[in-house]
């Protein structure tokens, strides 16, 4: 069960939404919010309230009273009477929505006017009844948490199925409601989403529970990426209400959020959530820095607003004169971005964030380049500060032109240029394509609503089976989610995204396991380069391979490869080689021990029986255990003789030991 407390406030300096998912305690109604409102004034989250003593949390589900809705009939499965009773509560033939869920329905209908919200009403009633008696550490009824999570998703414009799953996402984990019953009541899609975000039992999995829960969630996202969106909304609300937990718990949750969930939000392109999570993590882990940045940003806000208003107006005039329809607005950075700039510059006495404006074009990508020419015509561009993410989009679908210019007064000014469609994708990422069934991507933008087109997720699913240890999987996941990447090209023009410190060996394994195993050299931009060299953005890389029959990787590669796939594949290759050698050694040892006993094997059947008796999967595993001296060959031969002689005697044997 998630147990957090009261909201901490807003935290997105550059968001195009107001804070997502702010929900009042039932029965008070929260104001309706349109799914894509205009940019809001930044209101940062204040420092968290001091921890308070946690009240006693009631049991997950109190015993049912005789005749109650949850009393189980002999002929009914658990909770079936409950759901039927809830469905029968109607007004005019339709389920009447409780006042607490009214704002959520309003938000959802604004994005999906034709949505059938009866499922939301059903889901809320079931969740409210199942969580009855449970309290959050703030003292709020527990139902306020799933309602807040659903509201965050509703403001993102997610579909009805996702919102219903959000309302029910803790029922299987924290109540007697089973996944089987949930599937019967709400269907396979809702069940898949709820199961995907349900944590694994710590009693059963121990210290591996966190890693295995994350692995389970990634695998579920392979079937439906909405699992990750629900998890992000769940963590956002928990981070907002983190102030009522103990300090060690706050730090642990914030670190886990920073290492896994913030990068996941970036990979999905849902920056409206990513920025809020980053600022809340900063507020938790570095509260003094957060407070300092907040105070200084507020102090200089009036003067910066005046400066940018004077700067934007002549730019608007230039765009209008060139007949480029566009909106130019201030684009302030969120606090984590400012904090990172100060840290990289080694400064703590002044904020490191140039004034920044965003030009949103009502047109296509060609108008973006026209606007870029206008910007560079008015102000002098700073060399090396131009980036074209329209021609080469980021891994998370992000598209925009970035440039830095020297404004009239010598002040550096950052400028971002994108179309309306690109701006929507930049804020909502994969969510932008999940708002209505069959919605097509804008021209020039790749559709990213399916797992097969989320290359980074497909890459995770490819190497996940090779990470046998839970902690190895979690460490590899953290690294693979790093947002510091380079784009390199194969001789055929294929673009491959790799971590910023990747090597030619990493590229070889990214292309194929066979290519990686047979790699013996590389040419970078036409020049022979050591396999340990670090690749740079835009490099053209040719992998040289060996034609030898027994070609394989070098153990030295383990010292410099960076990608999880390369690291795990190299380890697996050597493990297979070691196992093969052990099998050969074990077979030879068994043969020698049989000769010593003046016996011989006519078939492998006795070995099959012996392997089964030792709970080994097959005879090769038996040989490998003997070859690595985990089992003694002489003892194994003695057991073989007992097996054979016990069935047929020493002279005649269907097992073939003579």
């Amino acid at each position: 069960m998630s147990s957090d407390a009261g909201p901490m406030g807003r935290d997105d300096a550059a968001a195009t939404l107001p804070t997502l998912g702010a929900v009042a305690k039932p029965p008070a109604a929260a104001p309706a919010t349109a799914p894509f409102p205009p940019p809001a004034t930044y209101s940062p989250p204040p420092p968290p309230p001091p921890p308070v003593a946690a009240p006693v949390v009631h049991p997950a589900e109190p015993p049912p009273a005789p005749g109650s809705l949850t009393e189980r009939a002999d002929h009914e499965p658990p909770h079936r009477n409950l759901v039927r009773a809830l469905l029968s509560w109607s007004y005019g033939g339709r389920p009447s929505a409780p006042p607490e869920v009214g704002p959520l329905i309003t938000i959802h209908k604004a994005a999906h006017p034709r949505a059938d919200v009866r499922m939301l009403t059903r889901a809320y009633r079931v969740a409210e009844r199942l969580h009855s008696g449970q309290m959050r550490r703030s003292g709020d009824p527990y139902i306020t948490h799933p309602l807040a999570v659903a509201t965050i998703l509703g403001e993102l414009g997610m579909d009805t199925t996702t919102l219903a799953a959000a309302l029910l996402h803790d029922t299987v984990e924290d109540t007697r409601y089973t996944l089987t019953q949930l599937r019967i009541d709400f269907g396979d899609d809702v069940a898949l989403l709820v199961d995907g975000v349900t944590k694994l039992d710590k009693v059963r999995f121990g210290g591996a529970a966190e890693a295995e829960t994350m692995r389970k969630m990634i695998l579920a996202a392979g079937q439906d990426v909405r699992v990750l969106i629900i998890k992000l909304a769940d963590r956002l609300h928990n981070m907002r209400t983190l102030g009522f937990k103990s300090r060690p718990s706050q730090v642990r949750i914030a670190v886990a959020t920073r290492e896994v969930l913030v990068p996941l939000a970036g990979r999905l392109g849902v920056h409206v959530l990513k920025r809020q999570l980053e600022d809340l993590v900063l507020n938790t882990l570095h509260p003094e820095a957060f407070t300092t940045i907040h105070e200084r940003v507020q102090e200089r806000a009036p003067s910066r607003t005046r400066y940018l208003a004077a700067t934007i107006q002549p730019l608007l005039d230039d765009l209008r004169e060139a007949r480029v329809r566009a909106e130019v607005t201030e684009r302030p950075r969120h606090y984590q971005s400012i904090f990172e700039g100060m840290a990289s510059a080694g400064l703590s006495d002044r904020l490191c964030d140039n004034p920044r404006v965003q030009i949103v074009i009502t047109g296509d990508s060609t108008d973006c380049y026209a606007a870029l020419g206008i910007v560079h015509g008015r102000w002098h561009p700073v060399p090396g500060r131009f980036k074209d993410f329209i021609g080469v989009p980021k891994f998370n679908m992000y598209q925009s032109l970035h440039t830095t210019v020297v404004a009239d007064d010598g002040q550096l000014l950052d400028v971002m240029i994108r179309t309306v469609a690109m701006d929507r994708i930049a804020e909502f990422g994969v969510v932008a394509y999940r708002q209505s069934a069959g919605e097509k991507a804008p021209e020039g933008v790749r559709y990213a609503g399916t797992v097969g087109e989320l290359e980074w997720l497909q890459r995770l699913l490819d190497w996940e089976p090779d990470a046998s240890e839970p902690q190895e999987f979690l460490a590899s996941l953290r690294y693979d989610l790093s947002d510091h990447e380079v784009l390199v090209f194969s001789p055929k023009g294929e673009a491959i995204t790799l971590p910023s410190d990747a090597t030619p060996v990493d590229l070889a394994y990214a292309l194929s396991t066979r290519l990686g195993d047979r790699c013996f050299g590389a040419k970078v931009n036409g020049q022979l380069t050591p396999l340990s060299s670090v690749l740079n953005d835009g490099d053209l890389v040719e992998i040289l391979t060996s034609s030898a029959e027994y070609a394989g990787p070098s153990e030295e590669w383990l010292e410099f490869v960076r990608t999880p796939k390369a690291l795990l594949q190299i380890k697996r290759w050597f493990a297979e080689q070691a196992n093969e050698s052990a099998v050969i050694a074990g077979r030879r040892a068994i043969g020698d021990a049989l000769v010593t006993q003046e016996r011989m094997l006519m078939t492998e059947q006795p070995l099959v029986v012996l392997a089964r008796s030792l709970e080994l999967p097959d005879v090769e595993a038996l040989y490998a255990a003997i070859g690595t001296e985990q089992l003694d060959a002489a003892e194994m031969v003695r057991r073989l003789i007992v097996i054979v002689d016990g069935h047929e005697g020493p002279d005649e044997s269907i097992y073939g030991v003579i």
Side-chain angles (χ1 to χ4, degrees):
M1 179 194 304
S2 303
S3 55
D4 306 290
M8 294 169 62
R10 301 179 54 186
D11 61 317
D12 184 6
T16 58
L17 289 177
T19 300
L20 300 174
V23 181
K25 298 181 184 180
T33 307
F36 294 101
T41 304
Y42 176 53
S43 177
V52 298
V56 176
V57 179
H58 294 280
E61 180 77 358
S68 68
L69 290 175
T70 55
E71 186 179 19
R72 188 180 305 175
D74 293 338
H75 61 282
E76 290 280 9
H79 300 288
R80 195 55 180 263
N81 286 338
L82 164 64
V83 175
R84 287 183 176 178
L86 293 177
L87 291 178
S88 67
W89 294 352
S90 62
Y91 178 78
R94 283 181 170 269
S96 57
E100 297 85 356
V101 80
L104 172 62
I105 292 175
T106 301
I107 291 169
H108 186 48
K109 293 286 282 186
H112 302 276
R114 297 183 179 181
D116 183 356
V117 298
R118 287 177 294 180
M119 179 184 284
L120 296 185
T121 301
R122 290 168 49 209
Y124 178 80
R125 289 192 186 280
V126 171
E128 182 184 39
R129 180 65 185 88
L130 292 170
H131 289 301
S132 177
Q134 296 178 354
M135 307 295 290
R136 307 199 85 214
R137 294 201 176 186
S138 62
D140 293 335
Y142 191 84
I143 188 61
T144 59
H145 169 65
L147 183 57
V149 173
T151 302
I152 292 172
L153 295 168
E155 290 173 339
L156 286 176
M158 295 299 289
D159 58 279
T160 309
T161 298
T162 306
L163 269 57
L167 290 169
L168 297 161
H169 79 273
D170 277 335
T171 56
V172 173
E173 181 180 337
D174 294 336
T175 76
R176 295 188 301 171
Y177 202 40
T178 66
L179 188 64
T180 300
Q181 189 61 48
L182 187 146
R183 182 175 288 107
I184 293 171
D185 296 336
F186 292 95
D188 291 339
D189 289 345
V190 174
L192 171 64
L193 298 179
V194 171
D195 185 37
V197 296
T198 299
K199 299 184 186 71
L200 295 176
D201 186 8
K202 289 185 178 180
V203 175
R204 178 182 174 188
F205 289 89
E210 179 183 359
E212 291 297 349
T213 295
M214 187 59 62
R215 187 199 295 263
K216 172 173 170 276
M217 186 177 70
I218 293 294
L219 292 175
Q223 300 179 63
D224 196 325
V225 75
R226 290 176 294 180
V227 169
L228 298 179
I229 307 298
I230 295 174
K231 182 61 180 179
L232 290 174
D234 175 52
R235 182 55 59 89
L236 176 58
H237 184 251
N238 282 336
M239 285 297 298
R240 288 176 182 167
T241 59
L242 202 57
F244 288 87
K245 297 184 81 69
S246 67
R247 181 59 186 169
S249 293
Q250 291 180 28
V251 172
R252 176 181 58 80
I253 294 171
V255 169
T257 301
R258 180 186 63 191
E259 292 182 349
V260 177
L261 293 179
V262 166
L264 273 175
R267 291 284 177 170
L268 293 167
V270 193
H271 288 96
V272 71
L273 299 185
K274 179 176 182 285
R275 289 190 296 267
Q276 295 186 56
L277 287 170
E278 284 183 322
D279 279 359
L280 288 166
V281 168
L282 176 65
N283 196 9
T284 302
L285 299 181
H286 304 283
E288 293 181 0
F290 181 93
T291 301
T292 299
I293 293 172
H294 171 64
E295 291 174 349
R296 292 180 180 176
V297 166
Q298 296 303 309
E299 288 173 3
R300 64 132 196 243
S303 60
R304 172 158 287 192
T305 299
R306 289 192 299 270
Y307 170 78
L308 286 173
T311 303
I312 287 172
Q313 188 55 51
L315 177 58
L316 278 171
D317 294 339
D318 291 347
L319 291 167
R320 190 176 300 111
E321 184 178 348
R323 296 184 178 181
V324 176
R325 293 183 299 164
E327 180 183 7
V328 183
T329 57
E330 178 182 356
R331 179 76 177 187
R333 289 175 174 81
H334 64 299
Y335 288 2
Q336 175 63 26
S337 177
I338 298 173
F339 177 74
E340 290 174 357
M342 295 170 66
S344 62
L347 300 174
S348 59
D349 56 342
R350 66 183 180 88
L351 303 182
C352 295
D353 64 324
N354 300 329
R356 184 170 63 167
V357 298
Q358 176 175 285
I359 303 174
V360 178
I361 304 292
T362 305
D364 56 24
S365 59
T366 58
D367 293 323
C368 293
Y369 292 102
L372 176 67
I374 293 169
V375 170
H376 285 176
R378 167 165 285 277
W379 297 302
H380 183 72
V382 176
R385 296 291 294 271
F386 170 67
K387 293 183 179 179
D388 184 355
F389 295 119
I390 293 179
V392 184
K394 287 189 176 183
F395 54 83
N396 57 7
M397 305 160 287
Y398 178 88
Q399 290 185 297
S400 186
L401 298 177
H402 292 193
T403 187
T404 300
V405 297
V406 182
D408 297 331
D409 59 352
Q411 170 73 56
L412 293 181
L413 176 68
D414 294 334
V415 182
M416 304 163 67
I417 307 171
R418 59 182 65 149
T419 66
V420 173
M422 293 174 189
D423 186 53
R424 182 182 175 194
I425 296 165
E427 290 300 308
F428 301 98
V430 68
V431 174
Y433 297 129
R434 301 203 68 93
Q435 292 186 38
S436 59
E439 181 176 356
K440 295 182 179 180
E443 184 179 355
V445 178
R446 293 175 302 172
Y447 177 78
T450 61
V451 174
E453 289 160 319
L454 291 174
E455 295 178 2
W456 63 269
L457 182 53
Q458 190 59 57
R459 189 171 66 216
L460 290 184
L461 296 173
D462 287 343
W463 62 253
E464 178 274 331
D466 295 326
S468 56
E469 295 297 324
Q471 295 308 317
E472 182 181 40
F473 167 77
L474 196 56
S476 298
L477 176 65
R478 288 168 179 159
Y479 186 86
D480 208 353
L481 291 176
S482 170
D483 59 358
H484 301 289
E485 299 200 338
V486 295
L487 190 69
V488 299
F489 299 89
S490 71
K492 296 181 179 180
E494 183 180 4
I496 300 97
T497 301
L498 295 169
S500 57
D501 51 356
T503 66
V505 176
D506 293 298
L507 173 61
Y509 278 103
L511 293 171
S512 77
T513 300
R514 177 179 173 80
L515 191 65
D517 288 345
R518 292 183 170 274
C519 170
F520 75 86
K523 287 183 179 180
V524 178
N525 301 322
Q527 301 293 321
L528 283 172
T529 304
L531 290 176
S532 59
S533 60
V534 174
L535 299 176
N536 297 312
D537 211 26
D539 280 347
L540 178 64
V541 187
E542 179 184 358
I543 302 299
L544 306 178
T545 59
S546 171
S547 59
E549 183 179 355
Y550 299 104
S554 169
E555 286 190 274
E556 296 177 355
W557 295 359
L558 294 172
E559 299 176 5
F560 58 76
V561 293
R562 293 293 179 265
T563 59
K565 181 176 182 180
L567 186 66
L568 294 170
Q569 289 288 355
I570 294 168
K571 287 182 176 179
R572 186 174 73 169
W573 190 90
F574 282 106
E576 289 174 353
Q577 297 302 308
N579 185 71
E580 190 173 316
S581 299
V583 169
I584 294 172
R587 185 180 287 114
R588 184 182 300 115
I590 284 287
D592 292 343
L594 283 168
V595 169
T596 301
Q597 295 293 326
E598 297 182 352
R599 297 282 187 118
M600 62 181 296
L601 275 176
M602 302 300 293
T603 73
E604 282 197 338
Q605 188 58 35
L607 291 167
V608 172
V609 176
L610 179 58
R612 289 175 181 170
S613 70
L614 296 171
E615 298 184 351
L616 294 172
D618 50 37
V619 174
E620 281 208 351
L622 175 62
Y623 282 143
I626 295 170
T628 55
E629 298 183 353
Q630 298 177 51
L631 297 175
D632 180 66
E635 173 62 19
M636 294 302 102
V637 166
R638 187 190 67 78
R639 293 194 183 190
L640 286 171
I641 293 173
V642 170
I643 290 171
V644 173
D645 291 353
H647 282 82
E648 301 290 341
D651 297 325
E652 296 182 2
S653 174
I654 61 170
Y655 290 119
V657 177
I658 298 174

